[in-house]
Amino acid sequence: MAAWVNQHSFLLAAGAVIVLAAFFLLRDGFRPMDAVALAALLIGAGAAYALLRPRPGTQDDAASLRAEIGSGQPVLLEFQSPY
């Protein structure tokens, strides 16, 4: 369960922010500007997730990676987890 929460923490936090915003915006009734604010939050969260989500690495072939490392030029290796 902890791994699932870790891997989906952005979605959980964004959902909590949207639910809290909806609660505070809609507690005095529905107004059109409340809908605009909630739509902006949803679009912003969706855009942030699309831009920041983990993607597969660019080097999948170990042989080409070894060839780049051994070519005599300094190479900066950066290892990242997809989550």
Coordinates of all heavy atoms in Angstrom, one line a residue:
M1 N 0.8 -1.2 0.0 CA 0.0 0.0 0.0 C 0.9 1.3 0.0 O 0.5 2.2 -0.7 CB -0.9 0.0 1.2 CG -1.8 1.1 1.3 SD -3.1 1.1 0.0 CE -4.0 2.5 0.4
A2 N 2.0 1.2 0.7 CA 2.9 2.4 0.8 C 3.5 2.7 -0.5 O 3.6 3.9 -0.9 CB 3.9 2.2 1.9
A3 N 3.8 1.7 -1.3 CA 4.4 1.9 -2.6 C 3.4 2.5 -3.6 O 3.7 3.4 -4.4 CB 4.9 0.6 -3.2
W4 N 2.1 2.1 -3.5 CA 1.1 2.7 -4.3 C 0.9 4.2 -4.0 O 0.8 5.0 -4.9 CB -0.2 1.9 -4.1 CG -1.3 2.4 -5.1 CD1 -1.5 1.9 -6.3 CD2 -2.3 3.4 -4.9 NE1 -2.5 2.6 -6.9 CE2 -3.0 3.5 -6.0 CE3 -2.5 4.3 -3.8 CZ2 -4.0 4.4 -6.2 CZ3 -3.6 5.2 -3.9 CH2 -4.3 5.3 -5.1
V5 N 0.8 4.5 -2.7 CA 0.7 5.9 -2.3 C 1.9 6.7 -2.8 O 1.8 7.8 -3.2 CB 0.5 6.0 -0.8 CG1 0.6 7.4 -0.3 CG2 -0.8 5.4 -0.3
N6 N 3.1 6.1 -2.7 CA 4.3 6.8 -3.1 C 4.3 7.1 -4.6 O 4.6 8.2 -5.0 CB 5.5 6.0 -2.7 CG 6.8 6.7 -3.1 OD1 6.9 7.9 -3.2 ND2 7.8 5.9 -3.4
Q7 N 3.8 6.1 -5.4 CA 3.8 6.3 -6.8 C 2.7 7.2 -7.3 O 2.7 7.7 -8.4 CB 3.7 4.9 -7.5 CG 5.0 4.1 -7.2 CD 4.9 2.7 -7.8 OE1 3.9 2.3 -8.4 NE2 5.9 1.9 -7.5
H8 N 1.6 7.4 -6.5 CA 0.5 8.2 -6.9 C 0.3 9.4 -6.0 O -0.8 9.9 -5.9 CB -0.8 7.3 -7.0 CG -0.7 6.2 -8.0 ND1 -0.2 4.9 -7.6 CD2 -1.0 6.1 -9.3 CE1 -0.2 4.2 -8.7 NE2 -0.7 4.9 -9.7
S9 N 1.3 9.8 -5.4 CA 1.2 10.9 -4.4 C 0.7 12.2 -5.1 O 0.0 13.0 -4.5 CB 2.5 11.1 -3.6 OG 3.5 11.5 -4.5
F10 N 1.2 12.5 -6.3 CA 0.7 13.8 -6.9 C -0.8 13.7 -7.2 O -1.5 14.7 -6.9 CB 1.4 14.0 -8.3 CG 0.9 15.2 -9.0 CD1 1.4 16.4 -8.7 CD2 0.0 15.1 -10.0 CE1 1.0 17.6 -9.3 CE2 -0.5 16.2 -10.6 CZ 0.0 17.4 -10.3
L11 N -1.3 12.6 -7.6 CA -2.7 12.5 -7.9 C -3.5 12.6 -6.6 O -4.6 13.3 -6.6 CB -3.0 11.2 -8.6 CG -2.4 11.0 -10.0 CD1 -2.7 9.6 -10.5 CD2 -2.9 12.1 -10.9
L12 N -3.0 12.0 -5.6 CA -3.7 12.1 -4.3 C -3.7 13.5 -3.7 O -4.8 14.0 -3.3 CB -3.1 11.1 -3.3 CG -3.2 9.6 -3.6 CD1 -2.4 8.8 -2.6 CD2 -4.7 9.2 -3.5
A13 N -2.6 14.2 -3.8 CA -2.5 15.6 -3.3 C -3.3 16.5 -4.2 O -4.0 17.4 -3.6 CB -1.0 16.0 -3.3
A14 N -3.3 16.3 -5.5 CA -4.1 17.2 -6.3 C -5.6 17.0 -6.1 O -6.4 17.9 -6.1 CB -3.8 16.9 -7.8
G15 N -6.0 15.7 -5.9 CA -7.4 15.4 -5.6 C -7.8 16.0 -4.3 O -8.9 16.6 -4.2
A16 N -7.0 16.0 -3.3 CA -7.3 16.6 -2.0 C -7.4 18.1 -2.1 O -8.4 18.7 -1.5 CB -6.2 16.2 -1.0
V17 N -6.6 18.7 -2.9 CA -6.6 20.2 -3.0 C -7.9 20.5 -3.8 O -8.6 21.5 -3.4 CB -5.4 20.7 -3.8 CG1 -5.6 22.1 -4.2 CG2 -4.2 20.6 -2.9
I18 N -8.3 19.8 -4.8 CA -9.5 20.1 -5.5 C -10.7 19.9 -4.7 O -11.7 20.7 -4.7 CB -9.5 19.3 -6.8 CG1 -8.4 19.8 -7.8 CG2 -10.9 19.3 -7.5 CD1 -8.2 18.9 -9.0
V19 N -10.8 18.8 -3.9 CA -11.9 18.6 -3.0 C -12.0 19.7 -2.0 O -13.1 20.2 -1.7 CB -11.8 17.2 -2.4 CG1 -12.8 17.0 -1.2 CG2 -12.0 16.1 -3.4
L20 N -10.9 20.1 -1.4 CA -11.0 21.2 -0.4 C -11.4 22.5 -1.0 O -12.2 23.2 -0.4 CB -9.6 21.3 0.3 CG -9.3 20.3 1.4 CD1 -7.8 20.5 1.8 CD2 -10.2 20.5 2.5
A21 N -10.9 22.8 -2.2 CA -11.3 24.0 -2.9 C -12.8 24.0 -3.2 O -13.5 25.0 -3.1 CB -10.5 24.2 -4.2
A22 N -13.3 22.8 -3.7 CA -14.7 22.7 -4.0 C -15.5 22.9 -2.7 O -16.6 23.6 -2.7 CB -15.0 21.3 -4.6
F23 N -15.1 22.4 -1.6 CA -15.8 22.5 -0.3 C -15.9 24.0 0.0 O -17.0 24.5 0.4 CB -15.1 21.7 0.8 CG -15.7 22.0 2.1 CD1 -16.9 21.5 2.5 CD2 -15.0 22.8 3.0 CE1 -17.5 21.7 3.7 CE2 -15.6 23.1 4.3 CZ -16.8 22.5 4.6
F24 N -14.8 24.7 0.0 CA -14.8 26.1 0.4 C -15.5 27.0 -0.6 O -16.1 28.0 -0.2 CB -13.3 26.6 0.7 CG -12.8 26.1 1.9 CD1 -11.7 25.2 1.9 CD2 -13.3 26.5 3.2 CE1 -11.2 24.8 3.1 CE2 -12.8 26.0 4.3 CZ -11.7 25.1 4.3
L25 N -15.4 26.7 -1.9 CA -16.0 27.5 -2.9 C -17.5 27.3 -2.9 O -18.3 28.2 -3.2 CB -15.4 27.2 -4.3 CG -14.0 27.7 -4.6 CD1 -13.5 27.2 -5.9 CD2 -14.0 29.3 -4.6
L26 N -18.0 26.1 -2.7 CA -19.4 25.8 -2.9 C -20.2 25.8 -1.6 O -21.4 25.5 -1.6 CB -19.5 24.4 -3.6 CG -18.9 24.3 -4.9 CD1 -19.0 22.9 -5.5 CD2 -19.5 25.3 -5.9
R27 N -19.6 26.1 -0.5 CA -20.3 26.1 0.8 C -21.4 27.2 0.9 O -22.3 27.1 1.7 CB -19.4 26.2 2.0 CG -18.6 27.4 2.1 CD -17.6 27.4 3.2 NE -16.8 28.6 3.1 CZ -16.0 29.0 4.0 NH1 -15.8 28.3 5.1 NH2 -15.2 30.1 3.8
D28 N -21.2 28.3 0.1 CA -22.2 29.3 0.2 C -23.1 29.3 -1.1 O -23.8 30.3 -1.4 CB -21.6 30.7 0.3 CG -20.6 31.0 -0.8 OD1 -20.3 30.1 -1.6 OD2 -20.1 32.2 -0.9
G29 N -23.2 28.2 -1.8 CA -24.0 28.1 -3.0 C -23.1 28.1 -4.2 O -22.0 28.5 -4.2
F30 N -23.8 27.7 -5.3 CA -23.0 27.6 -6.6 C -23.1 29.0 -7.3 O -24.2 29.6 -7.5 CB -23.7 26.5 -7.4 CG -23.0 26.4 -8.8 CD1 -21.8 25.8 -8.9 CD2 -23.5 27.0 -9.9 CE1 -21.2 25.6 -10.1 CE2 -22.9 26.9 -11.1 CZ -21.7 26.2 -11.2
R31 N -22.0 29.5 -7.7 CA -21.9 30.7 -8.5 C -21.0 30.3 -9.8 O -20.1 29.5 -9.7 CB -21.2 31.8 -7.8 CG -22.2 32.3 -6.6 CD -21.5 33.4 -5.9 NE -20.4 32.9 -5.2 CZ -19.5 33.6 -4.4 NH1 -19.7 34.9 -4.4 NH2 -18.5 33.0 -3.8
P32 N -21.2 31.0 -10.8 CA -20.4 30.7 -12.1 C -18.9 30.9 -11.8 O -18.1 30.1 -12.4 CB -20.9 31.7 -13.1 CG -22.3 32.1 -12.6 CD -22.3 32.0 -11.2
M33 N -18.5 31.8 -11.0 CA -17.1 32.0 -10.8 C -16.5 30.8 -10.0 O -15.3 30.5 -10.1 CB -16.8 33.3 -10.1 CG -17.0 34.5 -11.0 SD -16.1 34.5 -12.5 CE -14.4 34.6 -12.0
D34 N -17.3 30.2 -9.2 CA -16.8 29.0 -8.5 C -16.5 27.9 -9.5 O -15.5 27.2 -9.4 CB -17.9 28.5 -7.5 CG -18.2 29.4 -6.4 OD1 -17.3 30.3 -6.1 OD2 -19.2 29.3 -5.7
A35 N -17.4 27.7 -10.5 CA -17.1 26.7 -11.5 C -15.9 27.1 -12.3 O -15.1 26.2 -12.7 CB -18.4 26.6 -12.5
V36 N -15.7 28.3 -12.6 CA -14.5 28.7 -13.3 C -13.2 28.4 -12.5 O -12.2 27.9 -13.0 CB -14.5 30.2 -13.7 CG1 -13.2 30.7 -14.2 CG2 -15.6 30.5 -14.7
A37 N -13.2 28.7 -11.2 CA -12.1 28.4 -10.4 C -11.8 26.9 -10.3 O -10.7 26.5 -10.4 CB -12.3 29.0 -9.0
L38 N -12.9 26.1 -10.1 CA -12.7 24.7 -10.1 C -12.2 24.1 -11.4 O -11.3 23.2 -11.5 CB -14.0 24.0 -9.7 CG -14.3 24.1 -8.2 CD1 -15.7 23.5 -8.0 CD2 -13.3 23.5 -7.3
A39 N -12.7 24.7 -12.5 CA -12.2 24.2 -13.8 C -10.7 24.6 -14.0 O -10.0 23.8 -14.6 CB -13.1 24.8 -14.9
A40 N -10.3 25.8 -13.6 CA -8.9 26.2 -13.7 C -8.0 25.3 -12.8 O -6.9 24.9 -13.3 CB -8.8 27.6 -13.2
L41 N -8.5 24.9 -11.7 CA -7.7 23.9 -10.9 C -7.6 22.6 -11.5 O -6.5 22.0 -11.5 CB -8.4 23.7 -9.5 CG -8.1 24.8 -8.4 CD1 -8.9 24.5 -7.2 CD2 -6.6 24.7 -8.1
L42 N -8.7 22.1 -12.1 CA -8.6 20.8 -12.8 C -7.7 20.8 -14.0 O -6.9 19.9 -14.2 CB -10.0 20.4 -13.2 CG -10.9 19.9 -12.1 CD1 -12.4 19.7 -12.6 CD2 -10.4 18.6 -11.6
I43 N -7.8 21.9 -14.8 CA -7.0 22.0 -16.0 C -5.5 22.2 -15.6 O -4.6 21.6 -16.2 CB -7.4 23.2 -16.8 CG1 -8.8 22.9 -17.5 CG2 -6.4 23.6 -17.9 CD1 -9.4 24.1 -18.2
G44 N -5.2 23.0 -14.5 CA -3.9 23.1 -14.0 C -3.3 21.8 -13.5 O -2.1 21.5 -13.8
A45 N -4.1 21.1 -12.8 CA -3.6 19.8 -12.2 C -3.3 18.8 -13.4 O -2.3 18.1 -13.4 CB -4.6 19.2 -11.2
G46 N -4.2 18.8 -14.4 CA -4.0 17.9 -15.5 C -2.8 18.3 -16.3 O -2.0 17.4 -16.7
A47 N -2.6 19.6 -16.5 CA -1.4 20.0 -17.3 C -0.1 19.7 -16.5 O 0.9 19.3 -17.1 CB -1.5 21.5 -17.5
A48 N -0.1 19.9 -15.2 CA 1.1 19.6 -14.4 C 1.4 18.1 -14.4 O 2.5 17.8 -14.5 CB 0.8 20.1 -12.9
Y49 N 0.4 17.3 -14.3 CA 0.6 15.9 -14.4 C 1.1 15.5 -15.8 O 2.1 14.6 -15.8 CB -0.7 15.1 -14.1 CG -0.5 13.6 -14.1 CD1 0.2 13.0 -13.0 CD2 -0.9 12.8 -15.1 CE1 0.4 11.6 -13.0 CE2 -0.7 11.5 -15.1 CZ 0.0 10.9 -14.1 OH 0.2 9.5 -14.1
A50 N 0.6 16.0 -16.8 CA 1.1 15.7 -18.2 C 2.5 16.1 -18.4 O 3.3 15.4 -19.0 CB 0.2 16.4 -19.2
L51 N 2.9 17.2 -17.8 CA 4.3 17.7 -17.9 C 5.3 17.0 -17.0 O 6.5 16.9 -17.4 CB 4.4 19.2 -17.7 CG 3.7 20.1 -18.8 CD1 3.7 21.5 -18.3 CD2 4.4 20.0 -20.1
L52 N 4.9 16.7 -15.8 CA 5.8 16.2 -14.8 C 5.8 14.7 -14.6 O 6.6 14.2 -13.8 CB 5.5 16.9 -13.5 CG 5.6 18.4 -13.5 CD1 5.2 19.0 -12.2 CD2 7.0 18.8 -13.8
R53 N 4.9 13.9 -15.2 CA 4.8 12.5 -15.0 C 6.1 11.8 -15.4 O 6.8 12.3 -16.3 CB 3.6 11.9 -15.6 CG 3.8 11.8 -17.1 CD 2.6 11.1 -17.7 NE 2.9 11.0 -19.2 CZ 2.0 11.3 -20.1 NH1 0.8 11.6 -19.8 NH2 2.4 11.2 -21.3
P54 N 6.5 10.7 -14.8 CA 7.7 10.0 -15.2 C 7.5 9.3 -16.6 O 6.4 8.9 -16.9 CB 7.8 8.9 -14.1 CG 6.6 8.9 -13.3 CD 5.8 10.1 -13.6
R55 N 8.6 9.4 -17.3 CA 8.6 8.8 -18.6 C 9.7 7.8 -18.7 O 10.7 7.8 -18.0 CB 8.8 9.9 -19.7 CG 7.6 10.8 -19.7 CD 7.8 11.8 -20.8 NE 6.6 12.7 -20.8 CZ 6.6 13.9 -20.2 NH1 7.7 14.3 -19.5 NH2 5.6 14.7 -20.2
P56 N 9.7 6.9 -19.7 CA 10.8 5.9 -19.9 C 12.1 6.7 -20.2 O 12.0 7.8 -20.8 CB 10.3 5.0 -21.0 CG 8.9 5.3 -21.2 CD 8.6 6.6 -20.6
G57 N 13.2 6.1 -19.9 CA 14.5 6.7 -20.2 C 14.8 6.7 -21.7 O 14.1 6.1 -22.5
T58 N 15.7 7.5 -22.1 CA 16.1 7.7 -23.5 C 17.1 6.6 -23.9 O 17.2 6.4 -25.1 CB 16.7 9.1 -23.7 OG1 17.8 9.2 -22.9 CG2 15.7 10.2 -23.4
Q59 N 17.8 6.0 -23.0 CA 18.8 5.0 -23.4 C 18.3 3.6 -22.9 O 18.3 3.3 -21.7 CB 20.1 5.2 -22.8 CG 21.0 6.2 -23.5 CD 21.5 5.7 -24.8 OE1 21.2 4.6 -25.3 NE2 22.2 6.6 -25.5
D60 N 17.8 2.8 -23.8 CA 17.3 1.5 -23.4 C 18.3 0.4 -23.8 O 18.3 -0.7 -23.2 CB 16.0 1.2 -24.1 CG 14.9 2.1 -23.5 OD1 15.0 2.5 -22.3 OD2 13.9 2.4 -24.2
D61 N 19.2 0.7 -24.8 CA 20.1 -0.3 -25.2 C 21.4 -0.2 -24.5 O 22.1 0.8 -24.5 CB 20.3 -0.1 -26.7 CG 21.2 -1.2 -27.3 OD1 21.3 -2.3 -26.7 OD2 21.9 -0.9 -28.3
A62 N 21.8 -1.3 -23.7 CA 23.0 -1.2 -22.9 C 24.3 -1.1 -23.8 O 25.2 -0.5 -23.4 CB 23.1 -2.5 -22.0
A63 N 24.2 -1.7 -24.9 CA 25.4 -1.7 -25.8 C 25.7 -0.3 -26.3 O 26.9 0.2 -26.3 CB 25.3 -2.6 -27.0
S64 N 24.7 0.5 -26.7 CA 24.9 1.9 -27.1 C 25.4 2.7 -26.0 O 26.2 3.7 -26.1 CB 23.7 2.4 -27.8 OG 22.6 2.6 -26.9
L65 N 24.9 2.5 -24.8 CA 25.3 3.2 -23.6 C 26.7 3.0 -23.3 O 27.5 3.9 -23.0 CB 24.4 2.9 -22.4 CG 24.7 3.6 -21.1 CD1 24.4 5.1 -21.3 CD2 23.8 3.1 -20.0
R66 N 27.2 1.7 -23.4 CA 28.6 1.4 -23.1 C 29.5 2.0 -24.2 O 30.6 2.5 -23.9 CB 28.8 -0.1 -23.1 CG 28.3 -0.8 -21.9 CD 28.7 -2.2 -21.8 NE 28.1 -2.9 -20.7 CZ 27.0 -3.7 -20.8 NH1 26.6 -4.1 -22.0 NH2 26.5 -4.2 -19.8
A67 N 29.0 2.1 -25.4 CA 29.8 2.7 -26.5 C 30.0 4.2 -26.2 O 31.0 4.8 -26.5 CB 29.1 2.5 -27.8
E68 N 28.9 4.9 -25.7 CA 29.0 6.3 -25.4 C 30.0 6.5 -24.3 O 30.8 7.5 -24.3 CB 27.7 6.9 -25.1 CG 26.8 7.1 -26.3 CD 25.5 7.7 -25.9 OE1 25.5 8.5 -25.0 OE2 24.5 7.4 -26.6
I69 N 30.0 5.7 -23.3 CA 30.8 5.8 -22.1 C 32.3 5.6 -22.5 O 33.2 6.4 -22.0 CB 30.4 4.9 -21.0 CG1 29.0 5.3 -20.4 CG2 31.4 4.9 -19.8 CD1 28.4 4.3 -19.4
G70 N 32.6 4.7 -23.3 CA 34.0 4.4 -23.6 C 34.5 5.1 -24.8 O 35.6 4.8 -25.3
S71 N 33.9 6.2 -25.2 CA 34.4 6.9 -26.4 C 35.5 8.0 -26.1 O 35.9 8.7 -27.0 CB 33.2 7.6 -27.1 OG 32.7 8.6 -26.3
G72 N 35.9 8.1 -24.9 CA 37.0 9.0 -24.5 C 36.5 10.3 -24.0 O 37.3 11.2 -23.6
Q73 N 35.3 10.6 -24.1 CA 34.7 11.9 -23.6 C 34.1 11.7 -22.2 O 33.6 10.6 -21.9 CB 33.6 12.4 -24.6 CG 34.1 12.7 -26.0 CD 35.0 14.0 -25.9 OE1 34.8 14.9 -25.2 NE2 36.0 14.0 -26.8
P74 N 34.2 12.7 -21.4 CA 33.5 12.6 -20.1 C 32.0 12.5 -20.3 O 31.4 13.1 -21.1 CB 33.9 14.0 -19.4 CG 35.0 14.5 -20.2 CD 34.9 14.0 -21.5
V75 N 31.4 11.6 -19.5 CA 30.0 11.4 -19.6 C 29.4 11.5 -18.2 O 29.9 11.0 -17.2 CB 29.7 10.0 -20.1 CG1 28.2 9.7 -20.1 CG2 30.3 9.8 -21.5
L76 N 28.3 12.3 -18.1 CA 27.6 12.4 -16.8 C 26.4 11.4 -16.9 O 25.6 11.4 -17.8 CB 27.0 13.8 -16.7 CG 26.1 14.0 -15.5 CD1 26.8 13.8 -14.2 CD2 25.4 15.3 -15.5
L77 N 26.5 10.4 -15.9 CA 25.4 9.5 -15.8 C 24.4 9.9 -14.8 O 24.8 10.3 -13.7 CB 26.0 8.1 -15.5 CG 26.9 7.4 -16.5 CD1 27.4 6.1 -16.0 CD2 26.1 7.2 -17.8
E78 N 23.1 9.8 -15.1 CA 22.1 10.2 -14.2 C 21.1 9.0 -14.2 O 20.5 8.7 -15.2 CB 21.4 11.5 -14.7 CG 20.3 11.9 -13.7 CD 19.7 13.2 -14.2 OE1 20.3 13.9 -15.0 OE2 18.6 13.5 -13.8
F79 N 20.9 8.4 -13.1 CA 19.9 7.3 -12.9 C 18.7 7.8 -12.2 O 18.8 8.4 -11.1 CB 20.6 6.1 -12.2 CG 21.7 5.5 -12.9 CD1 23.0 5.9 -12.5 CD2 21.5 4.7 -13.9 CE1 24.1 5.3 -13.2 CE2 22.6 4.1 -14.6 CZ 23.9 4.4 -14.3
Q80 N 17.6 7.6 -12.8 CA 16.3 8.0 -12.1 C 15.3 6.8 -12.1 O 15.3 6.0 -13.1 CB 15.7 9.1 -12.9 CG 16.5 10.4 -12.8 CD 15.8 11.5 -13.6 OE1 14.9 11.3 -14.3 NE2 16.4 12.7 -13.4
S81 N 14.5 6.8 -11.1 CA 13.4 5.8 -11.1 C 12.2 6.4 -11.8 O 12.0 7.6 -11.8 CB 13.1 5.6 -9.6 OG 11.9 4.8 -9.5
P82 N 11.5 5.5 -12.5 CA 10.3 6.0 -13.2 C 9.2 6.4 -12.2 O 8.1 6.8 -12.7 CB 9.9 4.9 -14.1 CG 10.4 3.7 -13.4 CD 11.7 4.1 -12.7
Y83 N 9.4 6.3 -10.9 CA 8.3 6.6 -10.0 C 8.9 7.6 -8.9 O 10.0 7.5 -8.5 CB 7.8 5.4 -9.3 CG 7.0 4.5 -10.2 CD1 7.6 3.4 -10.7 CD2 5.8 4.9 -10.7 CE1 6.9 2.6 -11.6 CE2 5.1 4.1 -11.6 CZ 5.7 3.0 -12.0 OH 5.0 2.2 -12.9

